[in-house]
Amino acid sequence: MTMYSVHPVAGLPEFRAGDDLPVILSDHLATGDPGLAPGDILVVTQKIVSKAEGRMFDLACVDVSDEARKLAGITLKEPALVELVLRESSAVVRAVPNVLITRHRLGHVMANAGIDASNLGKGGENRVLLLPEDPDSSARRIAEPCQDRTGVLPGVVISDSFGRPWRIGTTNVAIGTAGPPAVIDERGKPDRDGRIMQVTQIAFADSVAAAAGLAMGEGPEGLPACVVRGLEWQPGYQTSSDLLRPPGEDLFR
Amino acid sequence: MTMYSVHPVAGLPEFRAGDDLPVILSDHLATGDPGLAPGDILVVTQKIVSKAEGRMFDLACVDVSDEARKLAGITLKEPALVELVLRESSAVVRAVPNVLITRHRLGHVMANAGIDASNLGKGGENRVLLLPEDPDSSARRIAEPCQDRTGVLPGVVISDSFGRPWRIGTTNVAIGTAGPPAVIDERGKPDRDGRIMQVTQIAFADSVAAAAGLAMGEGPEGLPACVVRGLEWQPGYQTSSDLLRPPGEDLFR
């Protein structure tokens, strides 16, 4: 084990629908700090990916179904928001006043299907931002121009901040990955004394996202990307879906 | 936001019951890499804290209650282990074959009350390791001799690896803290466009533990401590219990 470091990427512009985020980001990394070095993992927040991919919706323009209207009555949430949550979800996990937890179509169990209304730019009072259509694809699309422009093919993680059952506060997790392992499986390996380790699967990409969150911050001073440098990892073909426990295997309920 | 770095602490001895972990660790940091600098957070795994505090138990010497025997039948786990889990817990959350989730007396909802049977040293086939009695106190006791020996009072986080509902793999979380905020509360602050942010409480200590986990690793090559250097934080009086959602407030079920 050696030390590693986490470098925020400062100076990126505000992103709008249609912006070529992969090119803008890779150009930015090609010309300034922190650059890209072999083995780097570039962590990008969901928010700028979604903005560039045009995932902003105006609540005033959403047709609200009867189902959404009913659920809005239960959760005391805006009917148009609930409609978008339902469109983005495969199942409702919990709906009580002020709480709407669903299983997102990507498989994540989360509040409000990850739909966000903060830091959307001026005039965005009525607008909300959905998760990217396919964050694993987004991650791959970000990695490729980086290689063209910097000579380094980085790992890429798309992060989002998630609440947790039983614990207060959000941590960042990986909703998209390209390159780094999502989960490192140590099951069946011997421990230090030669016994077989029983339950050791390490959520590598989620831990990288959490580490990145500390460098990027939230709120007005938050930055939307950072570079994690010095970790040991082997590129592979896992994606963020490898982090998802199949519904029938949920151990906690 | 500026960069930060995570430095594993190599060369620590194996710890045994009665060892003065705070003194050994602070002596080690006073004389070698990575040392301690102002603002550092020292992250220490639960395992060496528990070992030094004598939290190892021999399963052959545990009197098993009827309740534990019954639960062992349901979970297919060793009755003596189940007995220790029950003694360490305030409530059983889930018990099915191969799964025993409880609310630990410290408040954490976790598998097997955090009791661990790996990397316990040679001859430890029948032994298991419980969480420290009071990890927040353990963290404070580690911080103090550091100041004497290095001139720096570090933040201290005691970490443990937790599974998560719905997501595969473990991440490290904070089960003890001294100094750094457990949760940073951004609720009520304006976002970048001046709107009030709705739900932003950041699980700072859990994110620090997750970041540290990437540097410390698990298994035979794992290291039991690291130094997180360069984060911005203000010392305060929160403890790990500030990370615990009261049972009645659990949003996910």
Side-chain angles (χ1 to χ4, degrees):
Chain A
M1 296 288 161
T2 53
M3 65 87 77
Y4 78 96
S5 53
V6 187
H7 306 257
V9 177
L12 287 169
E14 285 285 327
F15 287 94
R16 288 187 183 76
D19 285 346
D20 193 337
L21 171 68
V23 164
I24 294 168
L25 188 54
S26 54
D27 278 345
H28 191 86
L29 289 165
T31 55
D33 278 339
L36 278 179
D40 279 359
I41 301 175
L42 174 60
V43 182
V44 183
T45 58
Q46 160 271 327
K47 191 165 283 192
I48 61 169
V49 176
S50 292
K51 282 181 179 174
E53 292 182 0
R55 299 286 289 158
M56 193 108 77
F57 285 77
D58 188 330
L59 291 179
C61 303
V62 174
D63 283 335
V64 179
S65 64
D66 288 346
E67 188 188 0
R69 214 171 292 281
K70 188 178 154 201
L71 204 54
I74 294 169
T75 58
L76 312 178
K77 288 176 182 278
E78 198 162 348
L81 173 66
V82 174
E83 173 65 31
L84 291 176
V85 171
L86 287 178
R87 288 184 199 173
E88 284 282 278
S89 301
S90 60
V92 174
V93 172
R94 191 163 192 230
V96 296
N98 303 310
V99 175
L100 178 52
I101 314 282
T102 67
R103 187 176 297 272
H104 191 278
R105 60 182 168 74
L106 294 168
H108 305 283
V109 175
M110 62 194 309
N112 306 319
I115 298 175
D116 190 2
S118 58
N119 287 319
L120 298 185
K122 296 214 187 307
E125 286 68 20
N126 221 9
R127 292 186 297 173
V128 296
L129 192 63
L130 277 55
L131 295 193
E133 282 280 355
D134 179 355
D136 288 319
S137 293
S138 306
R140 286 193 294 273
R141 284 198 300 270
I142 288 170
E144 283 157 12
C146 286
Q147 187 165 39
D148 295 342
R149 282 163 171 77
T150 70
V152 171
L153 181 68
V156 175
V157 168
I158 313 290
S159 73
D160 194 10
S161 61
F162 273 33
R164 299 94 45 88
W166 304 306
R167 295 181 81 75
I168 291 175
T170 60
T171 60
N172 278 17
V173 302
I175 63 164
T177 65
V183 176
I184 296 176
D185 200 331
E186 305 269 8
R187 289 177 301 179
K189 291 193 186 168
D191 75 3
R192 203 173 295 158
D193 309 301
R195 285 177 299 189
I196 298 301
M197 295 205 290
Q198 293 183 333
V199 185
T200 308
Q201 288 177 290
I202 297 160
F204 183 79
D206 281 345
S207 298
V208 169
L214 290 169
M216 298 190 295
E218 294 233 11
E221 294 92 27
L223 292 171
C226 72
V227 168
V228 180
R229 180 165 293 163
L231 289 178
E232 291 167 29
W233 57 278
Q234 297 299 321
Y237 299 108
Q238 286 189 1
T239 65
S240 65
S241 62
D242 291 290
L243 284 158
L244 301 174
R245 205 178 280 284
E249 278 185 23
D250 179 7
L251 300 185
F252 283 77
R253 48 186 293 161
Chain B
M1 295 289 160
T2 54
M3 65 88 77
Y4 77 95
S5 53
V6 187
H7 306 258
V9 177
L12 287 169
E14 285 285 327
F15 287 94
R16 289 189 183 77
D19 285 346
D20 193 337
L21 171 67
V23 164
I24 293 167
L25 188 53
S26 54
D27 278 346
H28 191 85
L29 289 165
T31 55
D33 277 340
L36 279 179
D40 280 358
I41 301 175
L42 174 60
V43 182
V44 182
T45 59
Q46 159 272 326
K47 191 165 284 191
I48 60 170
V49 176
S50 292
K51 283 180 179 175
E53 292 181 0
R55 298 285 289 158
M56 193 107 77
F57 285 76
D58 188 329
L59 290 179
C61 304
V62 174
D63 282 333
V64 179
S65 65
D66 288 346
E67 187 188 359
R69 213 171 293 281
K70 188 178 154 199
L71 203 55
I74 294 169
T75 58
L76 313 177
K77 288 177 182 277
E78 199 163 347
L81 172 66
V82 174
E83 173 66 31
L84 291 177
V85 171
L86 287 178
R87 289 184 199 172
E88 283 282 279
S89 302
S90 60
V92 174
V93 173
R94 191 163 192 230
V96 296
N98 303 310
V99 175
L100 178 53
I101 313 282
T102 67
R103 186 175 298 274
H104 190 278
R105 62 182 167 73
L106 294 168
H108 306 284
V109 175
M110 63 193 309
N112 306 319
I115 297 175
D116 190 2
S118 58
N119 287 321
L120 298 185
K122 296 216 188 306
E125 286 69 21
N126 221 10
R127 292 186 296 174
V128 295
L129 191 63
L130 277 55
L131 295 194
E133 282 281 354
D134 179 355
D136 288 318
S137 292
S138 305
R140 287 193 293 275
R141 283 197 300 270
I142 288 170
E144 283 156 12
C146 287
Q147 187 164 38
D148 294 341
R149 283 164 171 77
T150 71
V152 171
L153 181 67
V156 175
V157 169
I158 313 290
S159 74
D160 194 10
S161 62
F162 272 34
R164 299 92 46 89
W166 305 307
R167 294 181 81 76
I168 290 175
T170 60
T171 60
N172 277 17
V173 301
I175 64 165
T177 65
V183 176
I184 296 176
D185 200 332
E186 304 270 8
R187 289 177 301 180
K189 292 193 186 168
D191 75 4
R192 203 173 294 158
D193 309 301
R195 285 178 300 190
I196 297 301
M197 297 205 289
Q198 292 182 332
V199 184
T200 307
Q201 287 177 290
I202 297 161
F204 183 80
D206 281 345
S207 298
V208 169
L214 290 169
M216 297 190 295
E218 293 234 11
E221 294 92 27
L223 292 173
C226 72
V227 168
V228 180
R229 180 164 293 162
L231 289 178
E232 290 167 29
W233 57 278
Q234 297 298 321
Y237 299 108
Q238 286 190 2
T239 66
S240 64
S241 61
D242 291 290
L243 284 158
L244 301 174
R245 206 179 279 285
E249 278 184 24
D250 180 7
L251 300 185
F252 283 79
R253 47 185 295 161

